[in-house]
Amino acid sequence: MNIEIRRYFYGDIPGDEAGGNSAAPKNAPNEKAWPLWEIFIRSKQGLDHKHAGSLHAADARMAIENARDVYTRRMEGVSIWAVESKNIHASNPDDAAAFYEPAQDKIYRHPTFYDLPEELKHM
Amino acid sequence: MSVHELEAQFQRKIDAEVKIEPRDWMPEAYRKTNIRQISQHAHSEIVGMLPEGNWITRAPSLKRKAILLAKVQDEAGHGLYLYSAAETLGAARETMIDDLNSGKAKYSSIFNYPTLTWADMGAIGWLVDGAAILNQVMLCRTSYGPYARANVRICKEESFHQRQGFESLLVLSKGSAEQKAMCQDAIDRWWWPSLMMFGPKDSESTNNDQSIHWKIKRKTNDELRQQFVDMIAEQVKLLGMTLPDQHLKWNAERQHFDFGEINWEEFWNVVKGNGPCNKQRLAARNKAHDEGAWVRAAAVAYAEKSNERSQNNHNSWAAA
């Protein structure tokens, strides 16, 4: 399928002038890139850490310090986890249908599956 | 599944408002369009620090200086949210930075205008951030998940930017005759470039609107621009100032403000690199990048060394 893309993206910049379209990562010339880290933030005591985004840092300590500056400038967190992105394993979205299929036909796992008399209280 | 079927399935998801996530199948053109848009947006945040950085050391009070510092730091943060959103599509950070520094990638043209007086800080917050917010509020609902989430985060912070800008102009508008004049002058200089931020007129585009079809953009340039004019035309009255457009007037039939024609020649000139500050902005970015090279290298060397050291410690424990 041949698609004509409309050539204005962030508002005012026409596509043919815009550049930056190299989807494939190139190796940066003579410079070692800092690895990518995924950042998880606990917004307050009692809640789970939640994925906030990612950032680059040379090591774990820098990742946590950068995460403080990037993701908690307005007291959004009381605890930070940093995990190097290469250590994250993920399920494959293409397999989602088959992968989660066993849960599909087991509606008896939900409380609403059971018809009970109206008079029954506290259940 | 054939590419055709995958594309149909992809479009069904878009139509049903299901967000696209990084590992989902997507058409190559969708990926590229997003990389380009998100990285340009990121570059705009980063270059956007420069015109305001110009006034940090000359802010009129400690309070205004602290506010301006916080705002500029936010812009850096917004750039980082966006770069990492673009990276989820396979774009390398270094490539994006190189493209910005070499002038290959563009950023919003508004940042190629100079900040001549302190009142420009107010005008930028009110008008430039105001225009950016309309775009970003729309982008909170964009179809690519990481980009939408980055915009939600950005919008939460942007509203402080716009409010502090308006408040700062409000103070000037109640000040001495010189302060009032400075306020009006800043509005006069930033009004038209702010309108240009929304891009060319819809009628200038002969291509079919793929970005809208894919729900990357959800409103056209003209729709957003009209929304902006309607908003600002009312707000300016509270400042007791005017917008520099003799054609600006309420149209009861359309229920919108009519406004004059943008100077498109100026617009294209700035996009093509001939604005007042294009060269200066790129030079500043390159200087910062080059002067930071030894810091980046030192951090890598330090990380490698600490890694080695902890490996060695581990080995000596194992041996004992």
Side-chain angles (χ1 to χ4, degrees):
Chain A
M1 194 160 73
N2 219 346
I3 301 163
E4 269 296 298
I5 303 175
R6 184 178 178 187
R7 295 195 160 265
Y8 313 127
F9 303 113
Y10 181 58
D12 63 354
I13 306 148
D16 49 351
E17 311 272 351
N21 59 350
S22 31
K26 278 188 290 193
N27 287 325
N30 350 306
E31 198 175 310
K32 240 184 218 172
W34 291 351
L36 189 67
W37 301 75
E38 299 301 322
I39 304 303
F40 299 82
I41 297 194
R42 185 200 295 285
S43 57
K44 63 177 198 184
Q45 295 291 115
L47 295 181
D48 293 322
H49 284 78
K50 197 175 150 201
H51 187 236
S54 52
L55 50 77
H56 288 268
D59 57 24
R61 194 174 131 191
M62 190 195 280
I64 290 173
E65 283 173 2
N66 287 357
R68 177 203 54 197
D69 293 343
V70 178
Y71 293 109
T72 67
R73 287 193 302 284
R74 288 178 178 76
M75 297 176 292
E76 290 94 336
V78 294
S79 162
I80 296 173
W81 286 350
V83 185
E84 220 182 311
S85 308
K86 67 176 185 198
N87 294 324
I88 302 259
H89 301 267
S91 62
N92 184 351
D94 297 338
D95 299 340
F99 193 68
Y100 300 106
E101 193 277 334
Q104 285 270 329
D105 58 355
K106 296 182 180 61
I107 50 170
Y108 47 83
R109 284 183 167 157
H110 295 276
T112 47
F113 178 75
Y114 302 93
D115 276 328
L116 297 174
E118 288 276 325
E119 305 83 67
L120 185 68
K121 298 295 179 200
H122 306 299
M123 188 170 283
Chain B
M1 222 185 287
S2 74
V3 171
H4 190 71
E5 281 166 330
L6 284 167
E7 268 168 4
Q9 195 183 49
F10 174 82
Q11 191 62 48
R12 274 198 301 278
K13 272 164 92 175
I14 299 270
D15 294 343
E17 299 290 335
V18 175
K19 295 280 184 239
I20 307 301
E21 294 295 341
R23 288 163 57 91
D24 294 345
W25 186 90
M26 63 187 84
E28 219 25 56
Y30 177 85
R31 181 186 301 278
K32 280 196 173 149
T33 305
N34 264 300
I35 288 178
R36 213 178 327 201
Q37 174 166 336
I38 300 169
S39 60
Q40 281 180 0
H41 191 167
H43 298 329
S44 302
E45 299 284 353
I46 297 300
V47 178
M49 292 192 281
L50 297 171
E52 291 179 296
N54 183 33
W55 281 91
I56 289 175
T57 55
R58 289 175 287 163
S61 68
L62 192 56
K63 172 185 136 185
R64 292 291 171 194
K65 182 187 252 187
I67 292 171
L68 190 56
L69 268 173
K71 179 176 188 294
V72 171
Q73 194 191 11
D74 275 355
E75 309 296 1
H78 298 174
L80 294 176
Y81 306 155
L82 292 162
Y83 281 129
S84 59
E87 282 174 284
T88 63
L89 290 160
R93 176 76 62 100
E94 303 75 46
T95 312
M96 292 188 276
I97 301 289
D98 287 349
D99 285 349
L100 170 63
N101 291 352
S102 71
K104 184 182 169 207
K106 294 287 188 268
Y107 51 85
S108 189
S109 284
I110 192 85
F111 302 118
N112 290 318
Y113 289 86
T115 44
L116 304 178
T117 70
W118 167 252
D120 287 10
M121 297 303 97
I124 287 181
W126 176 42
L127 297 174
V128 176
D129 289 299
I133 288 171
L134 287 184
N135 221 326
Q136 288 164 161
V137 165
M138 166 189 80
L139 290 170
C140 290
R141 293 163 54 238
T142 191
S143 58
Y144 186 57
Y147 191 31
R149 293 191 286 275
N151 277 292
V152 169
R153 220 176 267 282
I154 289 171
C155 283
K156 276 188 198 156
E157 300 178 347
E158 260 332 319
S159 101
F160 135 63
H161 297 181
Q162 198 189 14
R163 291 171 70 101
Q164 66 82 31
F166 190 85
E167 191 233 27
S168 153
L169 289 184
L170 196 60
V171 170
L172 291 176
S173 75
K174 291 174 179 160
S176 66
E178 279 129 321
Q179 285 172 321
K180 284 179 186 165
M182 188 164 83
C183 179
Q184 183 63 58
D185 167 66
I187 295 170
D188 289 348
R189 280 182 292 108
W190 289 95
W191 171 247
W192 290 106
S194 300
L195 286 190
M196 294 178 198
M197 284 177 74
F198 298 98
K201 281 198 275 196
D202 296 347
S203 57
E204 296 289 303
S205 163
T206 47
N207 300 335
N208 64 5
D209 208 340
Q210 188 63 50
S211 271
I212 296 259
H213 188 55
W214 277 333
K215 297 186 181 170
I216 295 175
K217 289 187 75 162
R218 317 204 48 144
K219 284 180 182 175
T220 70
N221 296 351
D222 284 343
E223 282 168 0
L224 286 168
R225 187 163 21 235
Q226 182 69 60
Q227 204 182 336
F228 181 71
V229 172
D230 291 349
M231 187 173 93
I232 300 298
E234 290 297 336
Q235 292 175 351
V236 74
K237 294 176 187 167
L238 289 171
L239 292 174
M241 299 283 147
T242 56
L243 297 174
D245 180 358
Q246 52 178 350
H247 299 289
L248 186 78
K249 90 172 176 285
W250 178 250
N251 182 330
E253 201 179 312
R254 290 201 309 128
Q255 287 291 301
H256 287 296
F257 279 90
D258 289 336
F259 55 99
E261 189 65 25
I262 287 168
N263 180 348
W264 293 108
E265 199 186 322
E266 176 183 328
F267 169 78
W268 289 111
N269 247 323
V270 183
V271 168
K272 287 185 182 131
N274 306 320
C277 300
N278 294 55
K279 291 190 180 67
Q280 200 180 324
R281 301 292 184 235
L282 273 194
R285 284 313 312 154
N286 276 290
K287 181 168 181 274
H289 189 73
D290 295 346
E291 289 178 357
W294 73 270
V295 180
R296 295 192 296 276
V300 170
Y302 177 77
E304 279 172 353
K305 211 169 197 174
S306 333
N307 244 339
E308 259 169 45
R309 207 170 284 155
S310 69
Q311 291 273 323
N312 288 343
N313 279 348
H314 184 78
N315 289 343
S316 60
W317 275 102

